[in-house]
Amino acid sequence: MNVDDVIINPDELGETIIQMMEEYGVETRDRVDKATTEVTKSSKDTVKANANIEHPDKNGRIRHPNRIGKYKKSITYKMEHQSLVTIGHVYAKGHEYSLTHLLENGHNVWNAPGVRTRPFKHWKYGEDKAEHMLIPTMKKYLSK
């Protein structure tokens, strides 16, 4: 409802203001949902791009050339819509969820006591991107 086109009787002023505020609330929630979805998708793409664990070793060889990228393909997102809040979740689906902590932080090698693998900090990049993108993206959507 455009405010410039509203002509009402003084008796209907309260109802009209309530109706306009409800429309504004619905429109604002939709825009915030779109901004949250955009940031979540972008964060998922960043995590996926940095989940490349096929880095060459110190001699330039790829250590596991037979890997098919199952973990990287499992990284996805979902949106959770609650009454006034939209929450975006980026996660690894299937059994690959159990690898996220091991890859992000490194782990002990089972057949070499005292040896740890190096961490692959791929979730951190997605989290940082989401933190930096959310407010500007919401401002962009809400200023339309």
Side-chain angles (χ1 to χ4, degrees), residues 5-6 8 19 21 38 41-42 44 51-52 60 67 84 90 92 94 97 110 126 128 144:
D5 300 333
V6 178
I8 58 168
Q19 179 185 0
M21 292 302 289
E38 180 182 318
K41 283 182 184 179
S42 178
K44 183 249 329 171
N52 187 6
R67 290 191 177 162
L84 297 174
V90 179
Y97 76 91
W110 68 274
D128 290 344
K144 289 181 180 180

Side-chain angles (χ1 to χ4, degrees), residues 103-119:
L103 290 170
E104 188 76 10
N105 300 309
H107 58 88
N108 292 333
V109 179
W110 68 274
N111 59 353
V115 177
R116 289 186 61 83
T117 62
R118 69 182 179 96

Side-chain angles (χ1 to χ4, degrees), residues 54-71:
E54 302 301 325
H55 299 295
D57 64 8
K58 56 188 164 193
N59 298 324
R61 294 175 297 145
I62 294 179
R63 292 187 49 185
H64 302 285
N66 297 329
R67 290 191 177 162
I68 57 174
K70 194 173 179 184
Y71 173 72

Side-chain angles (χ1 to χ4, degrees), residues 3-127:
V3 202
D4 299 333
D5 300 333
V6 178
I7 300 173
I8 58 168
N9 293 329
D11 299 338
E12 300 169 351
L13 180 63
E15 281 182 34
T16 305
I17 290 174
I18 290 171
Q19 179 185 0
M20 291 172 77
M21 292 302 289
E22 286 175 357
E23 287 177 15
Y24 175 76
V26 168
E27 186 177 315
T28 302
R29 275 194 299 274
D30 288 344
R31 289 179 180 189
V32 168
D33 286 353
K34 287 178 185 176
T36 305
T37 302
E38 180 182 318
V39 170
T40 303
K41 283 182 184 179
S42 178
S43 180
K44 183 249 329 171
D45 293 340
T46 301
V47 171
K48 220 174 201 183
N50 288 298
N52 187 6
I53 57 172
E54 302 301 325
H55 299 295
D57 64 8
K58 56 188 164 193
N59 298 324
R61 294 175 297 145
I62 294 179
R63 292 187 49 185
H64 302 285
N66 297 329
R67 290 191 177 162
I68 57 174
K70 194 173 179 184
Y71 173 72
K72 190 173 184 175
K73 290 175 189 173
S74 76
I75 297 171
T76 188
Y77 76 99
K78 69 177 176 181
M79 301 305 296
E80 182 181 336
H81 301 280
Q82 297 174 354
S83 60
L84 297 174
V85 178
T86 300
I87 301 171
H89 299 279
V90 179
Y91 65 101
K93 64 184 175 185
H95 178 66
E96 281 67 34
Y97 76 91
S98 61
L99 297 175
T100 58
H101 179 79
L102 297 174
L103 290 170
E104 188 76 10
N105 300 309
H107 58 88
N108 292 333
V109 179
W110 68 274
N111 59 353
V115 177
R116 289 186 61 83
T117 62
R118 69 182 179 96
F120 292 94
K121 296 285 185 189
H122 54 294
W123 289 94
K124 181 79 174 130
Y125 297 128
E127 185 180 320

